[in-house]
Every structure is written in C-alpha cells, then in structure tokens.
C-alpha cells in the first residue's frame, strides 16, 4: 500500500498539477480502474479518485480514455459527478464526488427491498437518458459500475465502453471483449455472434439484459451466470413479469429499460412506493400547496427507516431548509428538519443548519419565531455559545415585548433552554430586565411562567444579587390575583430555599409567605403550609447552632459598678410565660426595709391620691422626683421622660392574694358613686417631707387618664399644650375623666376617685432639653 502511494505521488510530481490528495484505496470488483478516497487540497473536502496506470495496462488504455471523454461531456443527475481530470502518457486520474461501490452492500445483503427499488428506479432513469436521449449503449451495467454517493443515491459510472451507435469508431463493438468479467454478464446474442451484432439489434437490447441481471444480483446478493436468472424467489412478485421481459432471449422482443420504468410507475406499479414518491417530490417541495406539503412530510416519516441516512443529510435536508426559509414550509417542515438534524455531527450541523437558524431568527414572521422557539431544545446543543450570545439572543429578546402574547410566552419558556449558554453579564443584566417586564405582563399565564422561569434559572443568577431579585419577584407573585401565579411562587420558594440565608428566610421570606396560609384558595393554603414548613425547619436547624445568649457572663458587673440584672429561669410548665423575666432587685434583701402601708387604710398619710399616681419621694430614697413644667411631665435625674413603673414588693403578696382582678382589670364599676375624698393635684410639685417619712407604694401603674385630665384642667391657667399625639377631642366640660379605682384589699367595692380642680400651679420654666424630651415621648405614645 505504501509503495502504491509513493508511486502515485512520484507520478503526480512529474506530471501536470492535480489539486487532490490520495487517501486509502477502496476495493472494488474487477475493473480497469483503481479507486482511492481523496481530499481536495484547497479546502479539505472529500472526493474519490479513479486512477489508471497506462504503463501497466496498455491494452485497456482505449477504454480508460473513452471513460474520461464521456464523463467530461455527459451530464445527468444520475451520473457520477466529475470534479477534475488529469491525463498523461503514463496515467489518467479522474477526481469525482465521494463514492462507495454498490457491490459492497449487495454482497452483504444490507439493502432493504424499498431501498433496492429506489436505487433501481434511479438507475433506470439514467439508462433511459443514455439509451433514448443520447442514443448510446452503456454495455457494462453491473454492481461494479454503480456507486453510492454521499447522499446515498445510486450513481451510474463505468463508462469505459459507452458508445454511440452513430459513431463509426464506437468502442464497444471493438473493445467490448476487454471489459473485465464481460463473459458473465454477456447477453446470449453476443455470446453467439460477438460484439458486432449490437449494431444489428435495438440500442437498448444489451443494457436491458444487463439491467435484468442487476435486478437479480441486488435481490439475491450474487450472480454466477445466466443459468440462475430463472430463479425469482427473492424478487418481488410485482416485478416478475417485467423482469422476464427484460431477459427475453430475442433482443428485438426484449423490453427496454424505458418501458420497464413506465410499467413500474403505473398506478399500483412496483415503483409506486413512498420512498420513490418522496424522492420525486422533494425537489418541488417549495412549490407545493399546504395539503400537498403535509402529505409529502407524512410519507417522509414513513420511509425514514428505509432511506439511507446520508440521503436525508445531502438531499432531503437542503430542500426542507429552502422550504422553511423561502417556501413557507412552516413549523411542520422545520420539525422534520430537526429530526434529521439530530443525526448530524457537530460539523455537519454547523455547515447546514446553524446558518439557516441564525437567518430565521432575524425573520420578523411570528410563525417562524414560534416554530424556532418550540424547537430550540432540539438544536441548542449543536449551536456554539458564541453564536447564541452574539447572534441568536439579540434577535430572540424582541419576543419579550412582542404584541402577540403567544410570542412573549414562548420567549419566556425558551429562556430555560438558552440560559446555560448565555454569559453571566447577559443573564444578570439584559435578561433580568426583560423578565421584570414579563413578570408584570397583562396575561396571567405569562406572569406565572415568568415566576417558574425565575425559579428554574435561580442557580444561574449571580450570587451578589440573586437573593434580592428572587425575594422581590416571588413576593410580588404571592400578591398576584391569579391563583396559579401565587402557587408558582410558593413552589419556586420551596425549590430555591437553599439559595437564601437564614436571616433572609426569617425576616423577609416567611413574613410574605404567612399571608398565604389563610388564602381563600385551598390549593394555596396547602402549598403555603408545605413551603413554610421547609423554611421553618431550616431556621430551627440554624437556631440550634446559635449561642444561647450574647450577654456578658453574670460574674461581670454592669457599667458604673451596678450589678447585672438577674435573669430568671422560666419554669417548664404551661404557666411559665407569666413569670417575671427580669428581676430589677438583686439578692440584696436589705433594700426592702420599712413597713408595708395600705393605700386605703393608712392613717399616717394626710391625704389620699389615686392608686395609679406615683407617690412623692423623700430625699433619702434618692429616687427621681416628678416636677410639673410648662410643657408637661418630666423625670428629674433621668435621661428619658417615661414614668417609672414601681415593681411589686414581695412583702405585700399576702394582702394581694384575695384581690379581685376582674374588678381591677376593668377599672370602672356600674354601681352607684361612692364618696370621694378631696385630693390635691397629683402632678404638682410634691411638698417637702422629712427624712423620716416613708415612701408610698400603691403597686399600680401610672394614672394616664388622671394625668390627662389634670393637664386639661391646668391648660386654662398655664396654657400648657398637650403632648404630641394627644387631642382634646375626648375632654369636654360635660364629661370629666374618671381615674380608675383600685380594688380594696378587704374585698370591698373599689372607690371611684374623681379628680378635683387643682390649685393653681406656679409657672415654671422647664429646660429646653426636657421640653424636647416630652415632645418625643408624646410621639412615642
């Protein structure tokens, strides 16, 4: 093999320029030619090269030169296509399209009946042209003279003895005996009278007989001699009669190949097969009406298994693409294109389909755009990422804002297909901007699909803005009036729960999901429960890894030397929620000194006051005292203007044990009025007390209503405005607020205490700081 290649290369180097390179040798039947696989040097395209060595086979040189001359001049779709030729005194080279011998498939019996009929039909059309139009005789019809092209079509070659009977120096009568293996395929009249008798018989006689032997060999796998031709077991019954007429011993009574072709094309004839009909009609696909096109495509699906795969690639596919792009083939034709394209290699796909797809995306026809988007999953794997980013996506985004809802919806669905091949810049920029528009589309189905799309491409989003985008999008969808949009948001939240931080889950997502727990639709409520459970489980798991507290240890003291408040340990029973959380008093029992004085029975206190009014404090107690200012109430020696709440004294627990909480909670009685003792203004400056006086603890809360009434009364004299947030709508001359009574420790009915007009309070000027604090406090209330 290496010797042959080197010899051929040496011969080429000494002869005329030949722009093709020799490859592997291809084995064929006995022939004067040696067949090689080759490539074109210019572009690397595939080809075949027929080589004839003149120095080694001089006797058959006239046959080789005849084949070269006929191939240069004869042009027909069924004839081998010649690319280039070179002829010298020592060799002849013929470069053709890439071919493979039919004899390979015949010997392996790898051809189906439908494929054989389709191939015989092609050869019959070519022989009709040779015999009728060219008035010539081929003289060498056999499997070794027929080749498969790259498209799988049967092409006629072997024109070594092709002769016109009008020529005086015809090759066949003179050199017919030099044809390899001619005796086996020789007609009976030639066997008896030699090759010269062909001039006395019809032009088609020899080729018709050889066509009959070709039929026998294709269906049986081999042909040894004329004795086998009577065995028609493997030949289709519909062809028996015409087959016999092709092999008629009398050349003048023999059926021509043209007649055989017409007989097979009749209604119900053996050439009326879907495969042949598709081949006949595929060239005119763009000119057919819609119903005819649909019928043809239906037949194409039926014969997909019988067709050679290469025929779909080389012949059917280009015609289908033309029909889609220029002939209005529509979605159905493009669907067939995708079926064929699935069998192509990446290089073939880039060459044949990708350029057409790019041009179709630029087509403004909505039907074509929807067709492309529907079939995008079938072709996205074959399209390079650069083409998707630079050529397809810029045209695709026009569908997001199209007036037709179906285009917008299909564009949103197609995002899932193209997003793996989009750059991060496009995904987190342009794509999100368009999805934000479709998320607010007027069509509820498009809004729903946008939510689903965001949930599925969530992991393709950038980690920096992923949580922010998804939180805003899903929160909006949860408020959507469309049922399925809300359900899609909950499903998306459940599927993307791992993409959010625990803090976002607790503070941003759970609050917006909780409203769905009471949605009017049961399907939403059920899904909301499932989704909330997912987030709660995650938060609980995270909470277990958190520290118990971030407060300093109890051994450390607070700033200023004060002891750190002691944290109570709640009980494990059901009433633990009612226990005191923090005890303001430490374990210094000495702080609780003195005698407990009852608020109702005390005889040492010269005057009574409402139970909720804070008692005046002594200088010894060092507690902040209340003072009345022009702007309202302030606390001395305290930075905030919030009334101090006196904590309960454990020593009075025995007296409060029988207190009526029902009466005390309401603060008002429906019975008759009780006698109310005169009381001084509780918000006036307290009178100085001796150091021996004891503080009064009524264990209640500040009397806000009493303070409000006092402020209303003092307004007439001091013109003091009410704090912000309080209006005088509830204070009139006809109705005076009643301070809530305190239940007696003896179980008697609580007294109603009516606020008496207070004495005029001297005007005092409060510091600016306290005035500001009062204003702020009013706002807080």
């Amino acid at each position: 093999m290496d010797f042959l290649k080197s010899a051929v290369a040496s011969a080429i180097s000494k002869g005329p320029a030949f722009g093709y390179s020799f490859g592997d040798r291809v084995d064929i039947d006995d022939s004067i030619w040696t067949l090689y696989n080759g490539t074109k040097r210019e572009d690397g395209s595939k080809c075949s090269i027929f080589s004839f060595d003149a120095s080694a086979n001089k006797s058959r040189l006239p046959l080789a030169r005849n084949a070269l001359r006929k191939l240069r001049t004869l042009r027909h779709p069924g004839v081998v296509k010649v690319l280039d030729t070179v002829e010298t005194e020592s060799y002849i080279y013929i470069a053709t399209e890439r071919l493979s011998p039919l004899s390979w498939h015949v010997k392996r019996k790898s051809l189906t009946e439908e494929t054989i009929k389709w191939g015989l039909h092609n050869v019959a059309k070519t022989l009709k042209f040779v015999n009728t139009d060219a008035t010539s005789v081929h003289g060498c019809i056999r499997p070794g003279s027929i080749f498969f092209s790259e498209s799988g079509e049967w092409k006629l070659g072997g024109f070594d003895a092709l002769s016109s009977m009008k020529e005086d120096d015809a090759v066949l009568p003179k050199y017919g005996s030099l044809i390899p293996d001619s005796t086996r395929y020789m007609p009976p009249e030639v066997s008896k009278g030699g090759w010269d008798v062909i001039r006395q018989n019809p032009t088609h006689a020899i080729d018709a007989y050889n066509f009959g032997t070709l039929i026998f060999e294709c269906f049986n796998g081999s042909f040894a001699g004329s004795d086998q031709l009577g065995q028609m077991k493997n030949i289709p019954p519909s062809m028996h009669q015409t087959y016999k007429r092709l092999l008629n011993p009398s050349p003048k009574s023999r059926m021509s190949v043209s007649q055989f072709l017409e007989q097979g094309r009749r209604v119900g004839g053996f050439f009326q097969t879907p495969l042949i009909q598709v081949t006949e009609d595929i060239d005119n696909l763009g000119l057919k009406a819609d119903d005819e096109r649909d019928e043809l495509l239906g037949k194409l699906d039926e014969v997909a298994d019988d067709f050679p795969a290469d025929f779909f690639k080389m012949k059917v596919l280009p015609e289908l693409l033309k029909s889609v792009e220029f002939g209005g083939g529509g979605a159905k034709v493009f669907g067939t294109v995708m079926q064929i394209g699935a069998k192509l290699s990446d290089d073939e796909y880039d060459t044949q389909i990708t350029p057409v797809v790019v041009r179709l995306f630029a087509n403004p026809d909505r039907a074509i755009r929807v067709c492309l988007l529907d079939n995008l999953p079938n072709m996205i794997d074959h399209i390079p990422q650069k083409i998707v980013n630079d050529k397809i996506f810029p045209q695709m985004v026009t569908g997001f804002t199209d007036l037709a809802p179906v285009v917008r919806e299909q564009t949103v669905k197609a995002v899932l297909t193209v997003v793996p091949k989009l750059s991060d810049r496009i995904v987190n920029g342009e794509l999100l901007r368009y999805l934000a528009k479709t998320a607010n589309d007027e069509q509820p189905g498009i809004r729903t699909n946008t939510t689903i799309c965001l949930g599925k491409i969530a992991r393709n989003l950038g980690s920096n803005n992923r949580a922010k985008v998804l939180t805003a999008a899903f929160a909006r969808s949860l408020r959507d009036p469309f049922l399925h949009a809300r359900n899609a948001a909950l499903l998306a939240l459940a599927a993307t729960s791992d993409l959010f931080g625990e803090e976002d889950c607790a503070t941003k997502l759970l609050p917006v999901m909780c409203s769905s727990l009471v949605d009017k639709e049961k399907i939403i409520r059920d899904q909301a429960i499932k989704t909330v459970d997912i987030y709660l489980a995650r938060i609980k798991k995270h909470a277990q890894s958190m520290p118990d507290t971030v407060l300093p240890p109890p051994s450390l003291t607070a700033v200023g030397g004060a002891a750190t408040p002691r944290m109570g340990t709640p009980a494990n029973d059901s009433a633990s929620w009612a226990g005191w959380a923090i005890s303001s008093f430490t374990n210094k029992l000495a702080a609780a000194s003195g005698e407990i004085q009852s608020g109702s029975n005390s005889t040492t206190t010269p005057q009574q006051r409402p139970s909720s009014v804070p008692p005046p404090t002594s200088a010894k107690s060092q507690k902040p005292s209340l003072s009345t200012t022009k702007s309202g109430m302030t606390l001395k020696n305290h930075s905030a203007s919030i009334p101090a709440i006196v904590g309960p004294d454990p020593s009075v627990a025995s007296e409060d044990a029988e207190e009526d909480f029902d009466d005390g909670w309401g603060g008002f009685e429906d019975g008759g009025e009780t006698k109310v003792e005169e009381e001084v203004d509780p918000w006036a400056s307290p009178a100085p007390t001796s150091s021996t006086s004891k503080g009064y603890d009524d264990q209640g809360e500040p009397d806000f209503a009493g303070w409000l009434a006092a402020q209303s009364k003092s307004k007439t004299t001091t013109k003091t405005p009410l704090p912000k947030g309080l209006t005088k709508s509830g204070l009139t001359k006809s109705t005076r607020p009643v301070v809530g009574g305190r239940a007696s420790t003896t179980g008697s009915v609580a007294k109603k205490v009516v606020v008496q007009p207070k004495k005029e309070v001297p005007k005092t000027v409060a510091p600016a700081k306290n005035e500001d604090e009062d204003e702020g406090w009013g706002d807080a209330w």
Side-chain angles (χ1 to χ4, degrees):
M1 176 65 71
D2 294 337
F3 172 76
L4 290 173
K5 287 184 180 180
S6 61
V8 169
S10 176
I12 292 175
S13 63
K14 297 178 182 179
F18 189 61
Y20 297 86
S21 300
F22 285 78
D24 298 332
R25 179 176 174 175
V26 180
D27 293 330
I28 56 177
D29 290 342
D30 292 337
S31 174
I32 65 173
W33 300 94
T34 303
L35 181 60
Y36 294 91
N37 289 328
T39 55
K40 190 175 181 179
R41 295 177 183 175
E42 182 179 354
D43 56 8
S45 58
K46 298 178 180 180
C47 68
S48 291
I49 301 175
F50 289 89
S51 173
F52 178 79
D53 187 359
S55 59
N57 201 0
K58 290 184 179 180
S59 61
R60 292 175 174 174
L61 182 59
L63 294 176
R65 289 177 174 173
N66 181 67
L68 177 63
R69 184 172 66 253
K70 295 299 182 181
L71 283 172
R72 283 175 174 173
T73 58
L74 197 63
R75 291 289 184 269
H76 188 272
V79 175
V80 171
K81 182 180 179 181
V82 177
L83 304 177
D84 197 3
T85 61
V86 171
E87 181 181 2
T88 66
E89 294 180 358
S90 57
Y91 63 84
I92 297 175
Y93 298 142
I94 302 176
T96 67
E97 59 183 317
R98 177 60 65 89
L99 302 171
S100 60
L102 173 65
S103 56
W104 286 4
H105 304 278
V106 170
K107 291 178 180 179
R108 297 169 186 165
K109 296 184 179 180
S110 60
L111 303 174
T112 63
E113 179 179 327
E114 292 297 317
T115 304
I116 293 174
K117 287 182 178 180
W118 174 62
L120 291 174
H121 179 265
N122 291 342
V123 174
K125 290 193 299 180
T126 306
L127 276 178
K128 177 184 177 182
F129 166 77
V130 171
N131 296 153
T132 305
D133 298 337
T135 62
S136 300
V137 179
H138 188 280
C140 193
I141 300 298
R142 62 189 69 177
S145 299
I146 300 172
F147 301 89
F148 270 98
S149 67
E150 283 190 292
S151 62
E153 296 175 280
W154 292 20
K155 296 296 185 75
L156 183 60
F159 292 141
D160 306 341
L162 181 66
S163 304
S164 175
M165 294 298 100
K166 297 179 181 180
E167 299 175 353
D168 295 335
D169 56 346
V171 174
L172 184 58
K174 187 176 182 180
Y175 299 100
S177 58
L178 297 177
I179 298 175
D181 206 13
S182 60
T183 304
R184 183 157 55 107
Y185 294 97
M186 190 177 295
E189 66 271 18
V190 175
S191 299
K192 296 177 181 178
W195 288 100
D196 289 334
V197 301
I198 61 175
R199 295 183 181 274
Q200 304 172 9
N201 297 322
T203 304
H204 64 268
I206 294 180
D207 289 340
Y209 184 87
N210 288 152
F211 190 78
T213 61
L214 176 66
I215 293 174
F216 178 88
E217 191 167 358
C218 286
F219 283 106
N220 290 276
S222 62
F223 172 66
S226 58
D227 296 340
Q228 294 179 312
L229 296 177
Q231 302 175 6
M232 298 181 292
K233 179 180 179 181
N234 296 324
I235 299 175
S238 59
M239 301 178 67
H240 285 178
Q241 295 298 325
T242 52
Y243 168 73
K244 291 178 181 179
R245 296 178 61 183
L246 286 173
L247 298 175
N248 194 314
S250 173
K252 295 183 178 179
S253 301
R254 192 174 296 157
M255 175 184 281
S256 67
V257 176
S258 177
Q259 293 172 334
F260 177 83
L261 182 63
E262 293 176 1
Q263 189 75 22
R265 285 178 170 177
R266 291 179 180 178
V267 178
F270 46 83
F271 281 156
Q272 289 293 312
T273 65
L275 193 61
I276 295 174
Q277 291 177 358
V278 168
T279 307
E280 292 288 306
D281 296 339
I282 196 68
D283 293 336
N284 301 319
L285 181 61
L287 303 177
K288 293 184 177 296
D290 292 342
D291 54 345
E292 294 176 337
R293 185 188 301 115
D294 294 342
E295 182 181 358
L296 175 60
L297 294 175
K299 294 178 181 177
L300 193 61
D301 293 337
E302 294 177 6
V303 300
D305 296 334
D306 296 327
F307 255 125
D310 292 334
F311 181 78
F312 276 97
K313 299 176 185 178
M314 306 299 296
K315 293 292 291 184
V316 177
L317 183 58
E319 295 300 328
L320 293 177
L321 290 173
K322 290 178 184 177
S323 177
V324 173
E325 191 171 5
F326 307 110
K332 192 168 184 179
V333 175
F334 196 80
T336 306
V337 169
M338 290 296 99
Q339 293 178 4
I340 300 174
K343 302 176 182 179
L344 300 179
S345 65
D346 290 340
D347 292 339
E348 293 171 337
Y349 205 98
D350 291 342
T351 303
Q352 299 189 56
I353 296 183
T354 300
V356 178
V357 169
V358 173
R359 293 196 298 268
L360 289 177
F361 264 104
N363 194 318
D365 190 343
R366 287 194 177 101
I368 291 180
R369 173 60 62 84
V370 172
C371 175
L372 287 171
L373 296 175
D374 286 341
N375 290 277
L376 198 57
N378 298 327
M379 55 186 175
I380 192 64
D381 292 336
H382 300 279
I383 304 177
Q385 183 175 4
K386 182 175 178 58
I387 293 180
V388 175
N389 281 275
D390 297 344
K391 297 181 179 180
I392 292 181
F393 187 76
Q395 298 294 338
M396 175 181 163
V397 295
T398 58
F400 286 110
T401 56
D402 195 86
L403 296 178
V406 64
V407 177
R408 300 199 301 273
E409 183 174 6
Q410 291 302 116
T411 304
V412 171
K413 292 180 179 179
V415 170
L416 301 179
T417 304
V418 301
V419 73
K421 292 203 171 185
L422 295 178
S423 64
D424 293 339
R425 178 183 59 83
I426 292 178
V427 172
N428 295 284
E430 189 175 4
L431 178 59
L432 286 182
R433 286 196 297 271
Y434 281 109
L435 291 179
K437 294 180 181 179
T438 56
N440 294 278
D441 197 274
E442 60 181 5
Q443 297 293 327
I446 297 177
R447 298 197 303 268
T448 303
N449 287 332
T450 301
T451 302
I452 296 172
C453 177
L454 282 171
K456 291 187 176 182
I457 69 171
R459 286 167 175 80
N460 297 94
L461 302 180
S463 57
N464 294 334
N465 62 349
R466 177 195 297 154
K468 180 179 179 181
V469 171
L470 296 181
T471 300
F474 295 156
R476 194 218 63 81
S477 296
L478 286 174
R479 300 190 301 269
D480 197 298
F482 189 52
L483 164 67
H484 299 289
R486 301 197 300 275
N487 190 48
L490 291 170
L491 291 172
L493 281 167
T496 59
S497 61
D498 59 313
L499 301 180
F500 301 99
E502 286 78 4
E503 185 174 353
D504 287 342
C505 293
T507 60
K508 296 180 181 179
L509 297 175
L510 275 177
V512 299
M513 284 189 287
C514 286
S515 60
S516 301
L517 295 172
V518 290
D519 195 276
K520 295 181 180 180
E521 300 294 335
K522 185 177 185 299
I523 184 176
I524 302 299
R525 297 193 299 270
D526 293 344
Q527 184 58 45
I529 292 174
K530 296 177 183 178
T531 306
V532 168
D533 286 345
I534 293 174
Y535 280 76
L536 284 177
R538 186 178 175 196
I539 294 173
K540 289 179 181 178
K541 182 178 180 182
H542 175 69
Q544 292 176 357
S545 63
M546 297 176 66
D548 295 342
T549 180
V550 294
L551 297 177
S555 61
L556 300 179
T557 58
V559 178
T564 304
R566 175 173 52 85
M567 295 298 297
T569 302
N572 293 327
D573 57 6
S574 60
S576 62
W577 67 272
W580 296 108
I582 301 177
S583 175
S584 297
F585 304 101
T586 60
N587 55 0
K588 297 180 180 180
L589 300 179
S593 61
E595 297 181 0
I596 299 176
Q597 296 180 357
S598 174
S600 59
N601 301 324
S602 176
T603 58
T604 61
T605 304
Q607 54 184 351
Q608 289 185 345
R609 55 177 179 78
S611 61
S612 60
V613 176
T617 58
S618 62
K620 183 178 180 180
S621 63
Q622 297 297 327
K623 293 184 178 179
S625 62
L626 296 175
S627 63
T628 304
T629 64
K630 182 176 179 179
S631 60
M633 182 187 68
T634 62
L635 282 174
K636 294 183 179 180
N637 302 327
H638 201 281
S639 60
S641 58
I642 302 176
I645 300 177
V646 181
D649 194 335
S651 60
V652 299
S654 60
E655 292 190 14
D656 289 339
E658 297 180 358
E659 187 172 359
D660 189 353
F661 283 100
D662 292 337
D663 294 339
W665 191 264
F668 295 96
E669 284 289 337
D670 293 334
E673 293 185 1
T674 59
K675 185 177 180 180
V676 181
E677 298 180 2
E678 183 178 352
E679 185 172 333
V680 299
D681 184 15
W683 301 104
S685 298
T689 58
S690 62
S691 60
T692 58
S693 62
K694 299 178 181 179
Y696 183 85
D697 187 2
D698 64 348
Q699 302 177 8
E701 295 180 353
D703 187 3
F704 178 73
W707 172 85
L708 189 63
Q711 291 295 101
S712 177
K713 179 63 177 178
S714 63
K715 183 178 180 182
T716 59
T717 57
T718 62
K719 305 298 184 181
T720 303
L722 289 174
K724 288 183 179 180
L726 301 178
T727 62
K728 59 186 295 183
S729 59
L731 304 175
T732 61
K733 293 181 180 180
S734 59
T735 59
R736 182 175 295 275
V738 179
V739 180
R742 172 182 170 85
S744 173
T745 56
T746 59
S748 61
V749 178
K751 298 179 181 180
K752 286 187 179 180
V753 181
V754 180
V755 177
Q756 299 297 333
K758 69 181 184 68
K759 297 178 182 180
E760 184 175 352
V761 181
K763 297 183 179 180
T764 59
V765 180
K769 180 179 179 181
N770 291 339
E771 183 175 353
D772 293 341
E773 290 173 353
D774 278 346
E775 296 294 333
W777 176 83
D779 291 338
W781 276 92

